[in-house]
Amino acid sequence: MSRSLHAERLVRAVRALRTAEDAVPVIEPESQQWVDEHDAQNASLGEGAPVARRLENSHAMMRSIGYETQDVLALPMHGWAAKVMAFYLPQFHAIPENDNWWGKGFTEWTNVTRAVPQYEGQYQPHLPGELGFYDLRNGDVLRRQAELARAHGVHGFCFYFYWFAGHRLLEDPLLIFLNDKSIDLTFSLCWANENWTRRWDGHDHDILIGQEHSPEDDFAFIDYVARYMRDPRYLRVDGKPLLTVYRPSLLPNALETADRWRVRCRENGIGEIYLAFTLSFDSFEPREIGFDGAIEFPPNNTSPPNITQAALLLNSNYSGAIYDWRCYVERSKSYSDPGYDIFRGVCPSWDNEARKPGRGTSLRHASPRGYEDWLSNAVRETVRRVKDEDKKLVFVNAWNEWAEGAHLEPDARLGYAYLNSTTRALRRAAEDDCMSRRPDRVAVVVHVFYPELLPEIVDFLNQWEVPARLIATTVHDKRETVQQLLSGLKMPFEVREFENRGRDILPFLKVANELISEGEQLVLKLHTKKSLHRQDGDVWRRDLLSKLAAPERAEHALGMFNRDPSLAVMAPAGHILSMDTYWGSNADSVHYLCRRMGVKGPDHEMAAFPAGSMFYVRLDSIRPLLDCHLDECEFEPESGQLDGTLPHAIERVFGVLAVSNGARMLSTDHDESGQLVGSREYAYAQAAKN
């Protein structure tokens, strides 16, 4: 693929975002030089569609699978099993010091917007959604942030507070918050007590403003922050204001500092205080330094698995590190009790490439749904372990760390997904841990591009006796027709409208993402398959439908998925093909998708997939595909392609996921255990190895 075409696609992606109805401000690519540099980085990757998709995705400007609008059913902030506090960065406004150190008008957004992906699939830059590139000197922004937090179950903000021997930085937003009593949200302070250095540009030892510790400074500090702790909105633990220190080991004598603070607070009417520190760099017991508790601060101090070698680099000079975020979800299933007050911490994602171009640290495979699992596990463990209601706290890193890729605030790519997942996690934590994961009904998802073929599907479904619902997806100009054709359907149904892009696959993935969040477990995927390139297209479609949608098949499938928790896919008998024989021109894209999902590539000799893209599937089994958040722009515009598109590759990936991590795929004709071996002969397709 030529460089000029790469450039054209990138610029087209920029323009597409600018013309979107709800577009956010974006940064233009840095002219042809930017494109040439990125072409050079990609040169070693070879030619073809996967490379084009990676480049087109490099500015992360388009919506992805998993994008969510605001959850209108969000509940009030009070009444949750535990209180969620989010760390809050106030660096989104200009100050004279930053003007002097980094250039006129510098804010955290300056770092954010300069980021570019260093490896395939890296989400950079992180661009804001609803709130835009805000200035925190605007009180309306703070009020809206508080509204969003409260509506989604975030109990409060833990503001970073910057104190350097009486000199305070970035305090304007905190003072606006403190003085505006209409902002109804709990808050607390975390003293970010490090020296301020030039580590953003690699000069960690070049101190811009340093800490100057002394007994007098200890008293001056606590006297000053007392104005915050007196506010009725300030977070209290056991009735004591919570004061957090980021790195107590940097204090000359943390034990003596804690004693001074406690004495002075008793003297000035604050009373007893609760002291905590983050487990960011320090890992000792709180009592050793006269503190009361510690706050987990992932990803710091957590040692996730290093997966840098598995990444396909876009920049051959990249010197950073890549870790697997998914380990945190697994670890949260079996927390250990350290024997002191510990507050669990979670992070929605992490990637500080914006602060350290070409040498950043990132956590790959993060997702809103995984964050939801982690947060719900953290809340449940907290509720089980902690008896004192005031100590049932869980901290999120962070509300708005945009340059570190860790934010709950809505972004351009996933919208409100992380905020909605916070709400869902709190709801789940309030439910019974032993909830059954046995599917009790079938959700039928049918893509209707040819409405004239819909009646034969309706005829099958009207004979069903198993509990079911139907979601029909279609394009704009066919919605009314589809609605009318479904009017005689006996099961509940709804019609969703999508762009004519990604065949039946992209609409299915978007609907499947929503269905998981709604608690659905088992889906029958169908579509009005016409196969205009074949004379026997009608025969092909009817054979697929009869083996999946006939009432006895539905009853059999629901029973099998109930009895066998390892069953991931049930495909129509006679339509399960050998991957090795029927690669077509999709091998490169399948391996690209496996890297994006973080799963092992297919065993070419044993792998199989359901041909025709119709099957029963347990939704949990395709979470890796949904949670890698493919961008919608990666799906090629529709032009009648017969092979080699991203949907064709995803059709095969369903088979890869069906047999991963101990899962199984069966035929609709079989009950026995074991894995199916795909057929190497098929009447409806020509064998073609890549």
Side-chain angles (χ1 to χ4, degrees):
M1 183 169 291
S2 68
R3 290 189 179 186
S4 60
L5 183 54
H6 281 314
E8 179 185 343
R9 288 190 171 188
L10 179 58
V11 172
R12 187 169 66 244
V14 175
R15 290 172 179 165
L17 181 67
R18 290 193 165 208
T19 57
E21 181 178 354
D22 54 351
V24 299
V26 298
I27 304 301
E28 284 279 11
E30 297 175 7
S31 69
Q32 186 62 39
Q33 179 183 359
W34 188 94
V35 176
D36 289 343
E37 289 175 355
H38 282 70
D39 274 330
Q41 291 174 8
N42 281 279
S44 63
L45 300 179
E47 302 293 328
V51 177
R53 278 197 294 273
R54 288 193 289 274
L55 180 62
E56 208 169 36
N57 185 36
S58 62
H59 259 255
M61 296 170 298
M62 308 297 284
R63 288 184 177 183
S64 298
I65 294 171
Y67 181 94
E68 295 186 24
T69 57
Q70 187 174 2
D71 186 353
V72 297
L73 298 178
L75 299 180
M77 62 178 286
H78 300 291
W80 300 109
K83 299 170 184 175
V84 173
M85 296 291 295
F87 285 99
Y88 183 106
L89 185 71
Q91 293 191 41
F92 297 93
H93 65 99
I95 59 174
E97 291 86 352
N98 275 338
D99 286 349
N100 182 48
W101 296 331
W102 306 103
K104 184 69 174 176
F106 175 90
T107 74
E108 190 77 345
W109 295 123
T110 309
N111 286 329
V112 169
T113 55
R114 71 178 179 174
V116 294
Q118 302 296 309
Y119 57 86
E120 175 191 71
Q122 184 181 17
Y123 168 27
Q124 284 294 354
H126 286 243
L127 299 177
E130 175 201 328
L131 297 173
F133 296 104
Y134 52 71
D135 187 317
L136 288 179
R137 292 169 297 189
N138 184 340
D140 290 339
V141 173
L142 287 162
R143 281 187 288 274
R144 180 56 180 157
Q145 289 175 321
E147 289 172 359
L148 286 171
R150 187 172 57 250
H152 292 85
V154 176
H155 186 76
F157 295 149
C158 181
F159 290 107
Y160 289 116
F161 180 71
Y162 299 91
W163 169 280
F164 301 88
H167 189 93
R168 303 178 304 281
L169 297 180
L170 300 162
E171 192 185 10
D172 283 354
L174 282 68
L175 292 172
I176 292 171
F177 189 101
L178 180 67
N179 294 322
D180 187 348
K181 306 305 180 184
S182 70
I183 302 178
D184 182 20
L185 195 73
T186 298
F187 74 100
S188 66
L189 298 184
C190 175
W191 180 19
N193 64 315
E194 297 176 305
N195 292 330
W196 202 305
T197 69
R198 298 192 67 91
R199 64 176 176 269
W200 289 349
D201 56 6
H203 301 282
D204 292 23
H205 301 293
D206 187 356
I207 297 176
L208 300 173
I209 182 170
Q211 299 290 343
E212 298 177 14
H213 298 292
S214 66
E216 292 75 19
D217 186 59
D218 286 344
F219 288 124
F221 171 86
I222 202 68
D223 286 344
Y224 186 84
V225 299
R227 69 184 61 191
Y228 289 98
M229 292 192 289
R230 287 191 176 94
D231 191 287
R233 296 168 296 176
Y234 198 88
L235 180 66
R236 285 165 170 76
V237 176
D238 285 339
K240 309 168 187 176
L242 169 64
L243 178 61
T244 303
V245 178
Y246 186 64
R247 296 184 65 179
S249 61
L250 297 180
L251 300 173
N253 190 317
L255 183 61
E256 292 181 359
T257 294
D259 286 341
R260 293 186 190 105
W261 286 350
R262 293 185 191 279
V263 169
R264 183 56 65 92
C265 284
R266 295 185 193 112
E267 292 174 349
N268 65 16
I270 295 296
E272 298 298 327
I273 59 175
Y274 189 98
L275 295 178
F277 65 93
T278 67
L279 295 168
S280 180
F281 294 90
D282 301 328
S283 57
F284 38 72
E285 292 193 16
R287 64 178 69 95
E288 295 178 18
I289 59 169
F291 276 50
D292 302 294
I295 301 169
E296 292 179 338
F297 197 80
N300 292 22
N301 245 345
T302 58
S303 302
N306 190 312
I307 56 172
T308 308
Q309 294 302 315
L312 189 58
L313 298 183
L314 300 177
N315 176 10
S316 60
N317 295 318
Y318 174 67
S319 60
I322 307 166
Y323 298 92
D324 195 335
W325 179 93
R326 295 172 297 184
C327 71
Y328 299 116
V329 182
E330 287 303 310
R331 294 175 185 177
S332 71
K333 296 176 182 178
S334 55
Y335 282 112
S336 60
D337 186 348
Y340 56 79
D341 283 2
I342 189 168
F343 303 102
R344 300 303 178 193
V346 305
C347 66
S349 57
W350 176 271
D351 186 342
N352 68 358
E353 173 62 29
R355 287 187 175 168
K356 299 183 177 182
R359 55 190 178 88
T361 298
S362 62
L363 292 175
R364 200 172 187 187
H365 308 307
S367 67
R369 190 169 290 109
Y371 157 76
E372 179 183 327
D373 291 339
W374 186 4
L375 180 57
S376 64
N377 289 342
V379 171
R380 282 177 174 148
E381 189 274 344
T382 296
V383 172
R384 287 194 296 266
R385 173 176 50 86
V386 179
K387 304 307 178 185
D388 190 329
E389 292 297 322
D390 282 352
K391 293 182 180 178
K392 292 180 179 178
L393 299 170
V394 175
F395 285 77
V396 177
N397 179 25
W399 174 261
N400 62 341
E401 282 278 11
W402 287 91
E404 293 180 343
H407 50 85
L408 296 182
E409 286 183 330
D411 67 357
R413 186 167 180 252
L414 291 170
Y416 297 80
Y418 278 105
L419 280 175
N420 292 341
S421 290
T422 302
T423 307
R424 287 192 291 265
L426 288 166
R427 288 172 175 162
R428 285 174 52 189
E431 297 170 351
D432 186 353
D433 283 351
C434 300
M435 287 179 60
S436 171
R437 297 302 295 168
R438 292 161 53 93
D440 56 4
R441 68 173 177 178
V442 180
V444 182
V445 178
V446 54
H447 185 62
V448 186
F449 189 75
Y450 300 106
E452 64 271 22
L453 301 180
L454 184 56
E456 64 183 356
I457 295 177
V458 172
D459 287 344
F460 275 120
L461 299 181
N462 273 338
Q463 301 175 56
W464 279 24
E465 295 184 2
V466 300
R469 61 183 287 202
L470 181 137
I471 301 95
T473 62
T474 190
V475 294
H476 173 69
D477 60 347
K478 300 178 182 181
R479 181 186 181 107
E480 290 188 8
T481 301
V482 171
Q483 192 81 28
Q484 292 172 359
L485 290 170
L486 290 175
S487 61
L489 185 66
K490 295 179 181 178
M491 65 178 64
F493 72 89
E494 54 188 301
V495 180
R496 307 270 187 91
E497 182 182 310
F498 293 95
E499 176 190 0
N500 184 23
R501 192 182 189 100
R503 305 288 174 94
D504 56 295
I505 298 293
L506 179 55
F508 170 74
L509 294 179
K510 294 172 81 170
V511 170
N513 188 75
E514 296 176 18
L515 292 178
I516 290 185
S517 296
E518 294 173 10
E520 296 288 357
Q521 298 174 53
L522 179 60
V523 164
L524 169 59
K525 180 188 178 302
L526 303 174
H527 61 107
T528 54
K529 183 177 178 62
K530 206 163 192 178
S531 305
L532 296 175
H533 63 290
R534 298 189 61 90
Q535 292 184 344
D536 57 355
D538 289 342
V539 177
W540 189 4
R541 179 185 69 256
R542 288 167 184 158
D543 191 47
L544 289 165
L545 287 175
S546 65
K547 291 176 177 177
L548 290 169
E552 65 274 12
R553 301 287 190 174
E555 186 174 352
H556 173 64
L558 183 59
M560 284 296 297
F561 278 93
N562 267 306
R563 291 190 294 273
D564 184 357
S566 71
L567 180 58
V569 170
M570 180 168 278
H575 298 273
I576 301 172
L577 306 186
S578 162
M579 188 90 76
D580 184 52
T581 306
Y582 292 95
W583 269 117
S585 56
N586 302 291
D588 287 345
S589 291
V590 169
H591 287 293
Y592 160 68
L593 289 167
C594 289
R595 291 192 297 271
R596 286 289 300 271
M597 295 185 295
V599 302
K600 184 180 178 181
D603 181 331
H604 287 210
E605 295 298 323
M606 299 298 295
F609 70 97
S613 191
M614 299 193 207
F615 45 82
Y616 288 91
V617 60
R618 192 186 302 272
L619 287 178
D620 278 349
S621 71
I622 62 170
R623 272 188 55 170
L625 178 58
L626 300 175
D627 289 352
C628 75
H629 305 302
L630 296 170
D631 291 334
E632 294 180 27
C633 66
E634 296 192 65
F635 290 79
E636 301 85 351
E638 180 58 44
S639 60
Q641 304 97 316
L642 299 181
D643 193 30
T645 67
L646 191 62
H648 287 103
I650 291 174
E651 182 180 14
R652 287 154 176 80
V653 163
F654 286 129
V656 174
L657 294 175
V659 296
S660 64
N661 297 320
R664 300 195 302 126
M665 176 166 57
L666 289 180
S667 156
T668 51
D669 280 354
H670 293 85
D671 292 337
E672 73 270 13
S673 61
Q675 295 286 7
L676 287 175
V677 177
S679 172
R680 297 183 180 274
E681 297 183 2
Y682 191 49
Y684 305 104
Q686 182 177 355
K689 294 186 178 183
N690 191 63

